[in-house]
Amino acid sequence: MLDAGLCRGTGPNHNPLTVLNLLDLGQVINTTTGESLTIPTLTARSTATIKGQGVQISDSDPTFSSIVLGAFKYSFLVPVANELLNDAGFDLSALIAEQAGNSIGFAVNTGLTTGTGTVEPTGVMTAASSAVTGGTGVSGVASYENIIDLIYALDGQARLLPGVGFITGKSGLAGMRKLKDGAGNYIWTDSAVPGQPATLLGYPVYENPAVAATGTAAFSLGFGHMPSYKIRTAGGIQVAQSSDFAFDKDVTTFRVTMRV
């Protein structure tokens, strides 16, 4: 009935910058229940060495760690007077469902972007390493040189993977669109395909409203392989309604929940 990614859309055709929920960018693992889910991670690869004829080959085991994905419940109630439900001249239930999907989507996206990891998800900007300290320009907007340093702070093998790109908020976008190279050329490139993101130095740029605004002490720009960020959802969005919960007030209450 509801789509957790409802808080997304596309810009005008001359600048089709995609506005995304992190549920569209990260790797989503759907489960029916919410018990802890352990995901293995590789922290060090095996090392190959040259050996001569008849020389014993050395052991070199990869090193593994793990992350544990829980299931934090986002929820709210929407009480609606029965007179309004019965007398409305339009599909009020559909309107409630649409705004509920957007509300859950925005809340979940905020947690997946900047969550602390204690009583909420660990956000991608929280989990990421600080790669470049820049923002010497106006309001902490990154410079052209900062962008170059940020790109090459990422491991070379990761930069080759599909799904590598930038995420930033609207103030970061405004600053990035104004950036020029040493020859005075803008480095921002609008997409010619509606619905596809613009690019910066060849990498797609995604607007995420939950990323911090530009500032001298803010994590306002992210770059990396977005599918490496793992998201677990347990059962998707659940919508239920009850006419008994607030029977004395003659209202129907809609309950919206999502575990992520």
Side-chain angles (χ1 to χ4, degrees):
M1 180 177 180
L2 297 179
D3 180 2
L6 277 175
C7 58
R8 61 185 175 187
T10 56
N13 289 338
H14 70 276
N15 176 28
L17 175 70
T18 307
V19 181
L20 284 146
N21 189 305
L22 265 174
L23 289 166
D24 297 297
L25 288 178
Q27 180 187 3
V28 178
I29 303 168
N30 296 304
T31 60
T32 56
T33 56
E35 66 272 9
S36 295
L37 180 65
T38 301
I39 305 294
T41 60
L42 182 67
T43 58
R45 301 180 179 88
S46 299
T47 301
T49 57
I50 297 175
K51 298 293 183 180
Q53 298 182 23
V55 178
Q56 183 179 10
I57 299 175
S58 303
D59 294 338
S60 182
D61 295 329
T63 303
F64 291 94
S65 184
S66 63
I67 56 174
V68 178
L69 302 181
F72 298 97
K73 183 169 70 175
Y74 289 81
S75 57
F76 59 87
L77 299 176
V78 182
V80 181
N82 285 323
E83 291 89 346
L84 183 59
L85 283 174
N86 295 330
D87 300 341
F90 58 94
D91 191 349
L92 183 60
S93 296
L95 176 63
I96 293 173
E98 181 180 355
Q99 77 86 29
N102 279 281
S103 298
I104 282 283
F106 279 115
V108 168
N109 182 60
T110 298
L112 296 178
T113 304
T114 58
T116 62
T118 52
V119 295
E120 58 188 346
T122 301
V124 65
M125 299 300 284
T126 304
S129 301
S130 177
V132 177
T133 300
T136 57
V138 179
S139 301
V141 175
S143 67
Y144 172 63
E145 289 76 12
N146 292 155
I147 300 296
I148 296 293
D149 290 339
L150 180 60
I151 291 174
Y152 288 97
L154 189 65
D155 183 270
Q157 292 181 336
R159 288 199 309 273
L160 297 175
L161 296 173
V164 172
F166 296 96
I167 56 171
T168 189
K170 63 180 182 179
S171 62
L173 288 174
M176 294 168 74
R177 289 189 66 112
K178 300 171 187 175
L179 292 176
K180 299 179 182 179
D181 60 20
N185 301 308
Y186 288 102
I187 62 175
W188 178 280
T189 303
D190 286 333
S191 173
V193 181
Q196 294 300 310
T199 59
L200 194 73
L201 298 177
Y203 293 100
V205 183
Y206 301 103
E207 180 179 2
N208 183 331
V211 175
T214 54
T216 54
F219 290 106
S220 58
L221 178 62
F223 179 77
H225 181 243
M226 301 303 163
S228 287
Y229 182 63
K230 311 300 181 186
I231 303 168
R232 183 269 193 88
T233 63
I237 289 183
Q238 304 293 323
V239 181
Q241 69 181 68
S242 173
S243 299
D244 300 324
F245 173 72
F247 178 78
D248 59 327
K249 297 180 180 179
D250 192 25
V251 302
T252 296
T253 304
F254 295 84
R255 184 187 67 202
V256 184
T257 61
M258 183 176 184
R259 300 175 71 193
V260 60

